[in-house]
Amino acid sequence: MSKGKIHFIGGGQMAEAIIRACLAGGTLAAGQISVADIHEGRLQLLKSKYNVDTESTQQEALSGAELIVIAVRPQDDLAALGAQVREYAAPSAVIVSIVAGVTIVQLGDYFGAERPIVRVIPNTLTDTGYGYSGVALNAAASLEQVEAFLLGFGKVQVLEESYIDIFTGFGVAGPNYIYYFIESFTDAGVLAGLPREQAWKVALENMLGAVAMLQQTGLHPRQLLDINNSPGGVGMHGLYELNNSDFAAGLQRSVLAAVKRTTELGVKK
């Protein structure tokens, strides 16, 4: 467990998810964490649920922070926050930004380009330990400075910043596609006549087991499909209809649409 102080600027849902996961996993202790937010209600909630410091002034929290997590909205006044960081934080304090669409160059303009800056696209599976967060670093930052913290809410992939939008639309939005598939698969079982509770259990177990088979065997999905599907058999007839449904192309178009929207939001900023 890191012993340094971490100050969150912004105490919204994503910041809370990160704090919750880090505390639950023992990556951080409550005494290491301070939070600043313009909404008093959020501060009271975070204090009551996690016993983190919500009472220190911005100057006090910034001056003692090893990591400074920027967890505000893209449209918030980043220039004003940058001025506070420049005035109060140590030059070695690392900026960890989860602000959507704000590039490393822009962050450097706000917080100082000479300072270590890490742009993070956090995954949404923080409580499970699964899921990759995408990470891009400026020249002054190293993964070692933030890896222990980032591993507290999932796994980490270091990316060229130019891949961040793709990573967001494909990887971070990825659980949405899986949730939708499981819902649709369960409905298919109900449509065929199974009680919903049984269909739900079968859908989840199939999802978990299929992933385990891929990981344990190292085989390509096509190889496992070939093993499962005998000539003229049940599985092959099911796949024939799935092939006719535009399933693969529809999924791929969904990912491309998510990537496109991510880019659009960044341009608006």
Side-chain angles (χ1 to χ4, degrees):
M1 181 176 72
S2 169
K3 298 185 184 304
K5 297 279 189 178
I6 298 183
H7 181 52
F8 286 77
I9 301 179
Q13 295 295 332
M14 196 67 239
E16 181 181 356
I18 291 172
I19 291 170
R20 182 173 62 242
C22 288
L23 292 178
T27 305
L28 296 173
Q32 295 176 262
I33 301 171
S34 57
V35 184
D37 195 282
I38 59 174
H39 299 291
E40 183 59 30
R42 286 296 300 171
L43 294 177
Q44 292 177 359
L45 181 144
L46 295 171
K47 177 70 175 179
S48 64
K49 290 180 70 173
Y50 308 107
N51 197 31
V52 296
D53 175 14
T54 59
E55 296 169 352
S56 293
T57 66
Q58 193 81 297
Q59 178 178 353
E60 291 169 342
L62 285 173
S63 62
E66 183 177 283
L67 300 182
I68 301 167
V69 181
I70 310 300
V72 299
R73 301 173 302 172
Q75 63 269 33
D76 287 339
D77 192 348
L78 289 168
L81 293 179
Q84 292 179 337
V85 168
R86 287 172 186 263
E87 182 172 1
Y88 300 127
S92 60
V94 181
I95 297 296
V96 178
S97 171
I98 64 170
V99 185
V102 180
T103 67
I104 286 177
V105 169
Q106 291 170 317
L107 292 167
D109 290 340
Y110 294 128
F111 299 99
E114 72 288 349
R115 180 186 296 279
I117 294 176
V118 181
R119 184 181 172 193
V120 178
I121 305 298
N123 79 86
T124 58
L125 301 170
T126 50
D127 292 316
T128 70
Y130 291 103
Y132 283 101
S133 295
V135 177
L137 307 97
N138 74 348
S142 68
L143 182 60
E144 289 73 22
Q145 292 173 299
V146 292
E147 188 171 26
F149 168 62
L150 298 176
L151 290 175
F153 51 95
K155 300 179 176 66
V156 175
Q157 283 196 5
V158 178
L159 308 165
E160 294 292 333
E161 192 179 21
S162 60
Y163 291 148
I164 284 285
D165 288 352
I166 299 172
F167 185 87
T168 303
F170 173 66
V172 177
N176 293 338
Y177 311 123
I178 305 300
Y179 297 149
Y180 189 76
F181 173 80
I182 291 174
E183 179 192 41
S184 300
F185 187 48
T186 301
D187 283 347
V190 176
L191 178 65
L194 272 183
R196 180 163 293 278
E197 183 178 355
Q198 286 184 304
W200 174 250
K201 289 180 178 177
V202 170
L204 289 183
E205 197 68 13
N206 278 347
M207 178 64 69
L208 291 169
V211 171
M213 282 293 288
L214 289 167
Q215 291 178 328
Q216 290 175 16
T217 64
L219 295 176
H220 189 279
R222 174 52 56 186
Q223 292 174 287
L224 291 174
L225 287 170
D226 286 345
I227 292 171
N228 284 353
N229 295 311
S230 57
V234 172
M236 202 64 226
H237 275 75
L239 285 179
Y240 174 75
E241 286 299 327
L242 196 59
N243 286 337
N244 284 334
S245 72
D246 201 30
F247 172 78
L251 178 59
Q252 290 156 10
R253 285 196 299 271
S254 299
V255 171
L256 292 179
V259 172
K260 180 173 181 286
R261 183 57 178 158
T262 303
T263 303
E264 289 171 348
L265 291 173
V267 170
K268 283 181 180 179
K269 175 64 183 98

